[in-house]
Amino acid sequence: MSSLSPNVLLLEQTNQLKGLFSIIRSKDTHRSDFVFYSDRIIRLLVEKGLEQLPVETHDVQTPLDVTYEGVKFLGKICGVSIVRAGESMEQGLRDCCRSVRIGKILIQRDEETALPKLFYEKLPEDISDRYVFLLDPMLATGGSAILATEVLISRGVKPERIFFLNLLAAPEGIVAYHDKFPNIKIITGGIDPKLDAKKRIEPGVGDFGDRYYSI
Ligand code: PRP
Ligand code: URA
Ligand code: MG
C-alpha cells in the first residue's frame, strides 16, 4: 500500500512494532497500557518525522581535538494537533524537541455522518515560516486531516513543509488526502485493509481518543 505514493512513509513493520500494535489493538488492553504502548509508537513516528527535515553541514571538535564532520537541523518547526486524539502525540514531540511550539485545531467527526466539523484553531503567529508536524493518530476517511491541512495552508504554510504524523491509516484516507495534497508526506505506523460501514478503521484500534483519554 505504501507503494501508492512515495509520499507515504510507512514505519518498518518489525516484530517490535507488531508487538506494540498487538497490545493497543486488543480490546482487553486497559487504558494505562494503551497509553504507554501508543506513546512508544508515537515516539517512533516523531523520530521518523524528524528524519525528513533538511540539515546543513556542521563540524564539531571532539574532546580528542579531532573534527567530527556533522550536521545540524535547518529551520524552525512546530506541532499542530487535531484535538482531541491528536493531543496524545504532543508529548512525544516535546520529548524530542525541547520547548517546541504547539498549535491546536479542534475538529470533530460527526458520529452519524463521519463528516468533520471545524470548531476552533489557535496556531503560532509565525507558522508560515515553520515546518509543521500535523498530529492525528487516526486517518480514516481523511476528512479531518484534509480540513486541518486546509487551515494550515490558508495560514500560509507551504504544503512541502507539512509532515502528517499518523499512527494508523485506512487506504481510503490516504487516497483522499493525497488527491488533495500530493506533496505532503504522510508518516504512518500502519495501514489497515479498509473502513467498516461506520467509517471506522478495520481491524483498527477502536476509538483512539476514547481509549487514550477516557475509557
Ligand atoms: C477521530 C480521529 C481523527 C478522525 C479521523 O477524531 O482522531 O481526527 O476521527 O477520521 P476521518 O479521517 O474520517 O476524519 P474524532 O472526531 O472522533 O474525535 P476525537 O479526536 O475527540 O476522538
Ligand atoms: N477515529 C478513531 O478513533 N478510530 C477510527 O477507527 C476512525 C476514526
Ligand atoms: Mg479528532
Side-chain angles (χ1 to χ4, degrees), residues 14-28:
T14 62
N15 282 336
Q16 184 66 219
L17 184 61
K18 283 185 194 159
L20 300 175
F21 267 107
S22 304
I23 295 169
I24 69 165
R25 285 177 187 280
S26 169
K27 67 177 185 178
D28 296 325

Side-chain angles (χ1 to χ4, degrees), residues 33-179:
D33 276 344
F34 186 85
V35 169
F36 183 85
Y37 292 101
S38 295
D39 286 350
R40 283 196 51 197
I41 301 173
I42 289 164
R43 178 64 179 253
L44 298 173
L45 292 167
V46 170
E47 297 285 3
K48 190 77 183 167
L50 291 171
E51 284 174 22
Q52 310 307 313
L53 296 177
V55 292
E56 63 182 3
T57 57
H58 180 66
D59 294 351
V60 295
Q61 298 300 117
T62 75
L64 280 64
D65 270 331
V66 175
T67 302
Y68 172 76
E69 295 176 356
V71 297
K72 71 175 173 192
F73 299 118
L74 269 182
K76 298 182 290 185
I77 68 163
C78 71
V80 172
S81 60
I82 303 180
V83 180
R84 162 190 63 167
E87 291 178 298
S88 66
M89 304 176 77
E90 293 176 4
Q91 191 58 46
L93 184 60
R94 287 186 199 286
D95 288 345
C96 296
C97 306
R98 198 168 10 184
S99 61
V100 65
R101 293 192 189 177
I102 305 271
K104 310 246 184 195
I105 302 178
L106 173 54
I107 291 172
Q108 293 286 287
R109 212 169 80 137
D110 183 288
E111 300 223 336
E112 297 300 317
T113 64
L115 293 173
K117 189 160 178 224
L118 172 66
F119 289 94
Y120 170 87
E121 60 182 270
K122 196 82 181 170
L123 301 169
E125 285 296 319
D126 61 350
I127 194 164
S128 60
D129 299 332
R130 292 178 179 271
Y131 290 90
V132 178
F133 288 111
L134 179 64
L135 309 173
D136 194 329
M138 297 287 111
L139 174 59
T141 65
S144 304
I146 289 170
L147 189 51
T149 304
E150 285 169 349
V151 171
L152 296 177
I153 290 172
S154 76
R155 292 286 299 269
V157 183
K158 294 181 192 66
E160 58 275 16
R161 285 179 165 233
I162 300 172
F163 300 95
F164 176 28
L165 304 190
N166 163 254
L167 191 125
L168 189 60
E172 289 91 329
I174 291 176
V175 169
Y177 192 80
H178 270 157
D179 275 355

Side-chain angles (χ1 to χ4, degrees), residues 109 138 140 199-201 206-208:
R109 212 169 80 137
M138 297 287 111
K199 309 286 187 199
R200 296 176 300 194
I201 301 169
D207 187 307
F208 189 96

